[in-house]
Amino acid sequence: IDNAWPLAASPAGCRVVQRAIEVASGQEQIAVADQLRGRVLEATMSPHANHVLQKCVEVLPPDNLQFILDEMKGHAIITARHRFGCRVLERLIEHCPSWQTEPILEEILAGASQLCRHTFGNFVVQHILEHGTQPQRKVVAEMLYSDIQRLARHRVASHVVRAALVHCEGEDRDRLIAAMRADANELADLAHHHCGSFVVREMRREMRR
C-alpha cells in the first residue's frame, strides 16, 4: 500500500490497512508502518488510524516499533488521557519489552496519581499493574498507599486499587490491605460504599488466597 496514511485516517480505509498488515509479509508490514512515521501522535488521536497503529504494535517485531515510542516521548500523559491514545499505550505495554517502554512509562508513573482518577488514564495504570515490572508496580502501590481511603472510594481510582490488590507482589499488596483495615470504622464505611464495597470484596478474596 503506497498511500497507507490517508487510508488509515478514513473510516473504511483503516480496515483495509489493518487487513493488509495482517496478510502482508514481514517487509511489507514494515513498509506500511513506516508510512506512519512523523504521524504517530496524529494517528494516536485519530478515531480510525489508532486502530492501524494498534495493529502494527500487535504484529510487528518490537525493534520496528521504536519510532512509535520515540514520537510519544514527552506526550505520554496526554496520550494516556485520550480515549484512543490510551488503547495504543495499552498495546505497547502488552507487546513491547520493559526496557523499550520504560521512558514513556516513567512519564506515566510520574503522573499516576492523577491518571488513576481519569476516565481513560486509569486503564493505562491498570495495564502497568498487569504487564509492567515489579518496580513499576511498586511505584503505583506506593502512590495508592499514600491516599488509599480516598482512592478506594473514587468512582474511577477504585478500579486501580482493585487491580493493585490482584497484581502487586505480596509485600505491597499486604501493605495496601493493612492500610484499609487499620481503622475498623473506616473499613466498615468502605464496605458499604458504592465503589469501596468492590475493593473490600477483592481485598477479602486476596486474603483468602
Side-chain angles (χ1 to χ4, degrees), residues 119-145:
T119 305
F120 305 120
N122 85 91
F123 293 113
V124 178
V125 180
Q126 288 189 62
H127 249 62
I128 293 173
L129 286 167
E130 184 174 359
H131 300 280
T133 64
Q134 192 276 333
Q136 289 167 348
R137 285 192 288 273
K138 191 172 192 67
V139 170
V140 177
E142 290 289 340
M143 177 274 297
L144 296 173
Y145 177 80

PDB file of all heavy atoms in Angstrom, residues 119-145:
ATOM      1  N   THR A 119     -10.834   9.010  33.486  1.00  0.00           N
ATOM      2  CA  THR A 119     -11.706   8.057  32.797  1.00  0.00           C
ATOM      3  C   THR A 119     -10.940   7.113  31.877  1.00  0.00           C
ATOM      4  O   THR A 119     -11.263   5.924  31.798  1.00  0.00           O
ATOM      5  CB  THR A 119     -12.768   8.815  31.974  1.00  0.00           C
ATOM      6  OG1 THR A 119     -13.459   9.710  32.848  1.00  0.00           O
ATOM      7  CG2 THR A 119     -13.762   7.865  31.341  1.00  0.00           C
ATOM      8  N   PHE A 120      -9.947   7.626  31.155  1.00  0.00           N
ATOM      9  CA  PHE A 120      -9.171   6.782  30.240  1.00  0.00           C
ATOM     10  C   PHE A 120      -7.793   6.439  30.813  1.00  0.00           C
ATOM     11  O   PHE A 120      -7.307   5.317  30.632  1.00  0.00           O
ATOM     12  CB  PHE A 120      -9.026   7.475  28.880  1.00  0.00           C
ATOM     13  CG  PHE A 120     -10.342   7.871  28.265  1.00  0.00           C
ATOM     14  CD1 PHE A 120     -10.621   9.201  27.970  1.00  0.00           C
ATOM     15  CD2 PHE A 120     -11.315   6.918  28.016  1.00  0.00           C
ATOM     16  CE1 PHE A 120     -11.843   9.560  27.426  1.00  0.00           C
ATOM     17  CE2 PHE A 120     -12.537   7.265  27.473  1.00  0.00           C
ATOM     18  CZ  PHE A 120     -12.811   8.600  27.176  1.00  0.00           C
ATOM     19  N   GLY A 121      -7.188   7.377  31.508  1.00  0.00           N
ATOM     20  CA  GLY A 121      -5.851   7.157  32.053  1.00  0.00           C
ATOM     21  C   GLY A 121      -5.777   5.993  33.016  1.00  0.00           C
ATOM     22  O   GLY A 121      -4.743   5.313  33.110  1.00  0.00           O
ATOM     23  N   ASN A 122      -6.873   5.727  33.733  1.00  0.00           N
ATOM     24  CA  ASN A 122      -6.848   4.640  34.716  1.00  0.00           C
ATOM     25  C   ASN A 122      -6.581   3.287  34.069  1.00  0.00           C
ATOM     26  O   ASN A 122      -5.968   2.416  34.671  1.00  0.00           O
ATOM     27  CB  ASN A 122      -8.154   4.619  35.520  1.00  0.00           C
ATOM     28  CG  ASN A 122      -9.271   3.847  34.839  1.00  0.00           C
ATOM     29  OD1 ASN A 122      -9.446   2.647  35.044  1.00  0.00           O
ATOM     30  ND2 ASN A 122     -10.036   4.544  34.023  1.00  0.00           N
ATOM     31  N   PHE A 123      -7.023   3.121  32.814  1.00  0.00           N
ATOM     32  CA  PHE A 123      -6.805   1.843  32.137  1.00  0.00           C
ATOM     33  C   PHE A 123      -5.317   1.613  31.848  1.00  0.00           C
ATOM     34  O   PHE A 123      -4.840   0.484  31.889  1.00  0.00           O
ATOM     35  CB  PHE A 123      -7.612   1.785  30.839  1.00  0.00           C
ATOM     36  CG  PHE A 123      -9.095   1.765  31.049  1.00  0.00           C
ATOM     37  CD1 PHE A 123      -9.890   2.832  30.654  1.00  0.00           C
ATOM     38  CD2 PHE A 123      -9.710   0.674  31.665  1.00  0.00           C
ATOM     39  CE1 PHE A 123     -11.250   2.816  30.858  1.00  0.00           C
ATOM     40  CE2 PHE A 123     -11.088   0.654  31.867  1.00  0.00           C
ATOM     41  CZ  PHE A 123     -11.864   1.731  31.467  1.00  0.00           C
ATOM     42  N   VAL A 124      -4.601   2.690  31.565  1.00  0.00           N
ATOM     43  CA  VAL A 124      -3.160   2.583  31.319  1.00  0.00           C
ATOM     44  C   VAL A 124      -2.440   2.193  32.614  1.00  0.00           C
ATOM     45  O   VAL A 124      -1.557   1.335  32.617  1.00  0.00           O
ATOM     46  CB  VAL A 124      -2.603   3.894  30.740  1.00  0.00           C
ATOM     47  CG1 VAL A 124      -1.092   3.793  30.526  1.00  0.00           C
ATOM     48  CG2 VAL A 124      -3.302   4.250  29.422  1.00  0.00           C
ATOM     49  N   VAL A 125      -2.839   2.814  33.724  1.00  0.00           N
ATOM     50  CA  VAL A 125      -2.228   2.466  35.021  1.00  0.00           C
ATOM     51  C   VAL A 125      -2.532   1.011  35.370  1.00  0.00           C
ATOM     52  O   VAL A 125      -1.656   0.275  35.855  1.00  0.00           O
ATOM     53  CB  VAL A 125      -2.716   3.419  36.133  1.00  0.00           C
ATOM     54  CG1 VAL A 125      -2.085   3.041  37.469  1.00  0.00           C
ATOM     55  CG2 VAL A 125      -2.382   4.869  35.790  1.00  0.00           C
ATOM     56  N   GLN A 126      -3.752   0.574  35.106  1.00  0.00           N
ATOM     57  CA  GLN A 126      -4.092  -0.830  35.363  1.00  0.00           C
ATOM     58  C   GLN A 126      -3.246  -1.771  34.504  1.00  0.00           C
ATOM     59  O   GLN A 126      -2.855  -2.853  34.942  1.00  0.00           O
ATOM     60  CB  GLN A 126      -5.577  -1.074  35.084  1.00  0.00           C
ATOM     61  CG  GLN A 126      -6.514  -0.461  36.112  1.00  0.00           C
ATOM     62  CD  GLN A 126      -7.949  -0.919  35.921  1.00  0.00           C
ATOM     63  OE1 GLN A 126      -8.245  -2.109  36.026  1.00  0.00           O
ATOM     64  NE2 GLN A 126      -8.846   0.024  35.628  1.00  0.00           N
ATOM     65  N   HIS A 127      -2.971  -1.348  33.263  1.00  0.00           N
ATOM     66  CA  HIS A 127      -2.145  -2.167  32.380  1.00  0.00           C
ATOM     67  C   HIS A 127      -0.711  -2.275  32.901  1.00  0.00           C
ATOM     68  O   HIS A 127      -0.073  -3.317  32.749  1.00  0.00           O
ATOM     69  CB  HIS A 127      -2.167  -1.580  30.965  1.00  0.00           C
ATOM     70  CG  HIS A 127      -2.900  -2.447  29.981  1.00  0.00           C
ATOM     71  ND1 HIS A 127      -4.235  -2.734  30.109  1.00  0.00           N
ATOM     72  CD2 HIS A 127      -2.473  -3.119  28.878  1.00  0.00           C
ATOM     73  CE1 HIS A 127      -4.603  -3.526  29.115  1.00  0.00           C
ATOM     74  NE2 HIS A 127      -3.547  -3.781  28.359  1.00  0.00           N
ATOM     75  N   ILE A 128      -0.213  -1.188  33.480  1.00  0.00           N
ATOM     76  CA  ILE A 128       1.123  -1.236  34.084  1.00  0.00           C
ATOM     77  C   ILE A 128       1.132  -2.232  35.248  1.00  0.00           C
ATOM     78  O   ILE A 128       2.076  -3.006  35.413  1.00  0.00           O
ATOM     79  CB  ILE A 128       1.565   0.163  34.547  1.00  0.00           C
ATOM     80  CG1 ILE A 128       1.775   1.082  33.327  1.00  0.00           C
ATOM     81  CG2 ILE A 128       2.853   0.080  35.373  1.00  0.00           C
ATOM     82  CD1 ILE A 128       2.061   2.526  33.678  1.00  0.00           C
ATOM     83  N   LEU A 129       0.075  -2.229  36.040  1.00  0.00           N
ATOM     84  CA  LEU A 129      -0.017  -3.181  37.150  1.00  0.00           C
ATOM     85  C   LEU A 129      -0.031  -4.620  36.637  1.00  0.00           C
ATOM     86  O   LEU A 129       0.577  -5.513  37.235  1.00  0.00           O
ATOM     87  CB  LEU A 129      -1.274  -2.905  37.982  1.00  0.00           C
ATOM     88  CG  LEU A 129      -1.225  -1.670  38.870  1.00  0.00           C
ATOM     89  CD1 LEU A 129      -2.608  -1.324  39.393  1.00  0.00           C
ATOM     90  CD2 LEU A 129      -0.241  -1.859  40.021  1.00  0.00           C
ATOM     91  N   GLU A 130      -0.698  -4.849  35.518  1.00  0.00           N
ATOM     92  CA  GLU A 130      -0.823  -6.214  34.995  1.00  0.00           C
ATOM     93  C   GLU A 130       0.421  -6.662  34.216  1.00  0.00           C
ATOM     94  O   GLU A 130       0.858  -7.807  34.344  1.00  0.00           O
ATOM     95  CB  GLU A 130      -2.048  -6.326  34.093  1.00  0.00           C
ATOM     96  CG  GLU A 130      -2.301  -7.727  33.580  1.00  0.00           C
ATOM     97  CD  GLU A 130      -3.592  -7.879  32.804  1.00  0.00           C
ATOM     98  OE1 GLU A 130      -4.335  -6.879  32.677  1.00  0.00           O
ATOM     99  OE2 GLU A 130      -3.853  -8.994  32.315  1.00  0.00           O
ATOM    100  N   HIS A 131       0.986  -5.758  33.407  1.00  0.00           N
ATOM    101  CA  HIS A 131       2.048  -6.167  32.487  1.00  0.00           C
ATOM    102  C   HIS A 131       3.419  -5.536  32.787  1.00  0.00           C
ATOM    103  O   HIS A 131       4.405  -5.889  32.138  1.00  0.00           O
ATOM    104  CB  HIS A 131       1.667  -5.800  31.050  1.00  0.00           C
ATOM    105  CG  HIS A 131       0.402  -6.438  30.574  1.00  0.00           C
ATOM    106  ND1 HIS A 131       0.351  -7.750  30.134  1.00  0.00           N
ATOM    107  CD2 HIS A 131      -0.868  -5.954  30.479  1.00  0.00           C
ATOM    108  CE1 HIS A 131      -0.897  -8.036  29.780  1.00  0.00           C
ATOM    109  NE2 HIS A 131      -1.646  -6.980  29.979  1.00  0.00           N
ATOM    110  N   GLY A 132       3.473  -4.606  33.726  1.00  0.00           N
ATOM    111  CA  GLY A 132       4.716  -3.899  33.997  1.00  0.00           C
ATOM    112  C   GLY A 132       5.686  -4.700  34.839  1.00  0.00           C
ATOM    113  O   GLY A 132       5.454  -5.861  35.172  1.00  0.00           O
ATOM    114  N   THR A 133       6.780  -4.061  35.196  1.00  0.00           N
ATOM    115  CA  THR A 133       7.799  -4.714  36.026  1.00  0.00           C
ATOM    116  C   THR A 133       7.430  -4.562  37.510  1.00  0.00           C
ATOM    117  O   THR A 133       6.587  -3.731  37.872  1.00  0.00           O
ATOM    118  CB  THR A 133       9.174  -4.073  35.784  1.00  0.00           C
ATOM    119  OG1 THR A 133       9.123  -2.698  36.207  1.00  0.00           O
ATOM    120  CG2 THR A 133       9.557  -4.133  34.313  1.00  0.00           C
ATOM    121  N   GLN A 134       8.102  -5.336  38.339  1.00  0.00           N
ATOM    122  CA  GLN A 134       7.851  -5.241  39.775  1.00  0.00           C
ATOM    123  C   GLN A 134       8.139  -3.835  40.321  1.00  0.00           C
ATOM    124  O   GLN A 134       7.323  -3.296  41.086  1.00  0.00           O
ATOM    125  CB  GLN A 134       8.676  -6.299  40.520  1.00  0.00           C
ATOM    126  CG  GLN A 134       8.289  -6.478  41.985  1.00  0.00           C
ATOM    127  CD  GLN A 134       8.964  -5.471  42.898  1.00  0.00           C
ATOM    128  OE1 GLN A 134      10.057  -4.980  42.575  1.00  0.00           O
ATOM    129  NE2 GLN A 134       8.335  -5.139  44.016  1.00  0.00           N
ATOM    130  N   PRO A 135       9.245  -3.200  39.933  1.00  0.00           N
ATOM    131  CA  PRO A 135       9.476  -1.826  40.414  1.00  0.00           C
ATOM    132  C   PRO A 135       8.386  -0.852  39.955  1.00  0.00           C
ATOM    133  O   PRO A 135       8.035   0.069  40.700  1.00  0.00           O
ATOM    134  CB  PRO A 135      10.841  -1.461  39.815  1.00  0.00           C
ATOM    135  CG  PRO A 135      11.529  -2.768  39.617  1.00  0.00           C
ATOM    136  CD  PRO A 135      10.442  -3.710  39.215  1.00  0.00           C
ATOM    137  N   GLN A 136       7.850  -1.040  38.742  1.00  0.00           N
ATOM    138  CA  GLN A 136       6.779  -0.160  38.261  1.00  0.00           C
ATOM    139  C   GLN A 136       5.506  -0.375  39.058  1.00  0.00           C
ATOM    140  O   GLN A 136       4.811   0.583  39.412  1.00  0.00           O
ATOM    141  CB  GLN A 136       6.541  -0.406  36.767  1.00  0.00           C
ATOM    142  CG  GLN A 136       7.665   0.109  35.883  1.00  0.00           C
ATOM    143  CD  GLN A 136       7.594  -0.407  34.456  1.00  0.00           C
ATOM    144  OE1 GLN A 136       6.838  -1.336  34.141  1.00  0.00           O
ATOM    145  NE2 GLN A 136       8.386   0.194  33.579  1.00  0.00           N
ATOM    146  N   ARG A 137       5.184  -1.640  39.354  1.00  0.00           N
ATOM    147  CA  ARG A 137       4.009  -1.921  40.186  1.00  0.00           C
ATOM    148  C   ARG A 137       4.179  -1.308  41.575  1.00  0.00           C
ATOM    149  O   ARG A 137       3.215  -0.810  42.167  1.00  0.00           O
ATOM    150  CB  ARG A 137       3.772  -3.430  40.290  1.00  0.00           C
ATOM    151  CG  ARG A 137       3.187  -4.051  39.049  1.00  0.00           C
ATOM    152  CD  ARG A 137       2.708  -5.467  39.295  1.00  0.00           C
ATOM    153  NE  ARG A 137       3.814  -6.391  39.454  1.00  0.00           N
ATOM    154  CZ  ARG A 137       4.418  -7.022  38.441  1.00  0.00           C
ATOM    155  NH1 ARG A 137       4.020  -6.810  37.206  1.00  0.00           N
ATOM    156  NH2 ARG A 137       5.411  -7.853  38.676  1.00  0.00           N
ATOM    157  N   LYS A 138       5.406  -1.344  42.079  1.00  0.00           N
ATOM    158  CA  LYS A 138       5.676  -0.790  43.412  1.00  0.00           C
ATOM    159  C   LYS A 138       5.423   0.711  43.439  1.00  0.00           C
ATOM    160  O   LYS A 138       4.879   1.240  44.423  1.00  0.00           O
ATOM    161  CB  LYS A 138       7.111  -1.100  43.823  1.00  0.00           C
ATOM    162  CG  LYS A 138       7.409  -0.797  45.292  1.00  0.00           C
ATOM    163  CD  LYS A 138       8.770  -1.299  45.694  1.00  0.00           C
ATOM    164  CE  LYS A 138       8.937  -1.261  47.202  1.00  0.00           C
ATOM    165  NZ  LYS A 138       8.057  -2.206  47.904  1.00  0.00           N
ATOM    166  N   VAL A 139       5.803   1.421  42.372  1.00  0.00           N
ATOM    167  CA  VAL A 139       5.559   2.861  42.295  1.00  0.00           C
ATOM    168  C   VAL A 139       4.063   3.141  42.384  1.00  0.00           C
ATOM    169  O   VAL A 139       3.624   4.046  43.111  1.00  0.00           O
ATOM    170  CB  VAL A 139       6.136   3.450  40.987  1.00  0.00           C
ATOM    171  CG1 VAL A 139       5.677   4.897  40.801  1.00  0.00           C
ATOM    172  CG2 VAL A 139       7.654   3.385  40.996  1.00  0.00           C
ATOM    173  N   VAL A 140       3.265   2.363  41.658  1.00  0.00           N
ATOM    174  CA  VAL A 140       1.805   2.549  41.697  1.00  0.00           C
ATOM    175  C   VAL A 140       1.275   2.222  43.093  1.00  0.00           C
ATOM    176  O   VAL A 140       0.441   2.958  43.643  1.00  0.00           O
ATOM    177  CB  VAL A 140       1.103   1.673  40.643  1.00  0.00           C
ATOM    178  CG1 VAL A 140      -0.417   1.834  40.741  1.00  0.00           C
ATOM    179  CG2 VAL A 140       1.571   2.041  39.235  1.00  0.00           C
ATOM    180  N   ALA A 141       1.758   1.139  43.676  1.00  0.00           N
ATOM    181  CA  ALA A 141       1.307   0.742  45.014  1.00  0.00           C
ATOM    182  C   ALA A 141       1.603   1.817  46.053  1.00  0.00           C
ATOM    183  O   ALA A 141       0.764   2.123  46.912  1.00  0.00           O
ATOM    184  CB  ALA A 141       1.956  -0.587  45.423  1.00  0.00           C
ATOM    185  N   GLU A 142       2.788   2.423  45.983  1.00  0.00           N
ATOM    186  CA  GLU A 142       3.163   3.486  46.917  1.00  0.00           C
ATOM    187  C   GLU A 142       2.242   4.693  46.758  1.00  0.00           C
ATOM    188  O   GLU A 142       1.838   5.317  47.742  1.00  0.00           O
ATOM    189  CB  GLU A 142       4.619   3.903  46.680  1.00  0.00           C
ATOM    190  CG  GLU A 142       5.647   2.867  47.104  1.00  0.00           C
ATOM    191  CD  GLU A 142       5.752   2.720  48.614  1.00  0.00           C
ATOM    192  OE1 GLU A 142       5.329   3.640  49.339  1.00  0.00           O
ATOM    193  OE2 GLU A 142       6.240   1.670  49.071  1.00  0.00           O
ATOM    194  N   MET A 143       1.916   5.015  45.511  1.00  0.00           N
ATOM    195  CA  MET A 143       1.020   6.148  45.252  1.00  0.00           C
ATOM    196  C   MET A 143      -0.365   5.864  45.830  1.00  0.00           C
ATOM    197  O   MET A 143      -0.975   6.721  46.474  1.00  0.00           O
ATOM    198  CB  MET A 143       0.951   6.396  43.738  1.00  0.00           C
ATOM    199  CG  MET A 143      -0.011   7.496  43.301  1.00  0.00           C
ATOM    200  SD  MET A 143      -1.721   6.917  43.082  1.00  0.00           S
ATOM    201  CE  MET A 143      -1.516   5.747  41.741  1.00  0.00           C
ATOM    202  N   LEU A 144      -0.862   4.661  45.627  1.00  0.00           N
ATOM    203  CA  LEU A 144      -2.183   4.296  46.153  1.00  0.00           C
ATOM    204  C   LEU A 144      -2.184   4.289  47.679  1.00  0.00           C
ATOM    205  O   LEU A 144      -3.132   4.762  48.312  1.00  0.00           O
ATOM    206  CB  LEU A 144      -2.595   2.920  45.622  1.00  0.00           C
ATOM    207  CG  LEU A 144      -2.807   2.793  44.115  1.00  0.00           C
ATOM    208  CD1 LEU A 144      -3.047   1.338  43.733  1.00  0.00           C
ATOM    209  CD2 LEU A 144      -3.984   3.653  43.653  1.00  0.00           C
ATOM    210  N   TYR A 145      -1.100   3.767  48.268  1.00  0.00           N
ATOM    211  CA  TYR A 145      -0.988   3.682  49.728  1.00  0.00           C
ATOM    212  C   TYR A 145      -1.079   5.064  50.371  1.00  0.00           C
ATOM    213  O   TYR A 145      -1.674   5.222  51.443  1.00  0.00           O
ATOM    214  CB  TYR A 145       0.330   3.010  50.102  1.00  0.00           C
ATOM    215  CG  TYR A 145       0.594   2.939  51.578  1.00  0.00           C
ATOM    216  CD1 TYR A 145       0.002   1.955  52.373  1.00  0.00           C
ATOM    217  CD2 TYR A 145       1.439   3.866  52.198  1.00  0.00           C
ATOM    218  CE1 TYR A 145       0.245   1.900  53.737  1.00  0.00           C
ATOM    219  CE2 TYR A 145       1.685   3.810  53.560  1.00  0.00           C
ATOM    220  CZ  TYR A 145       1.091   2.822  54.330  1.00  0.00           C
ATOM    221  OH  TYR A 145       1.326   2.774  55.678  1.00  0.00           O
TER     222      TYR A 145
END
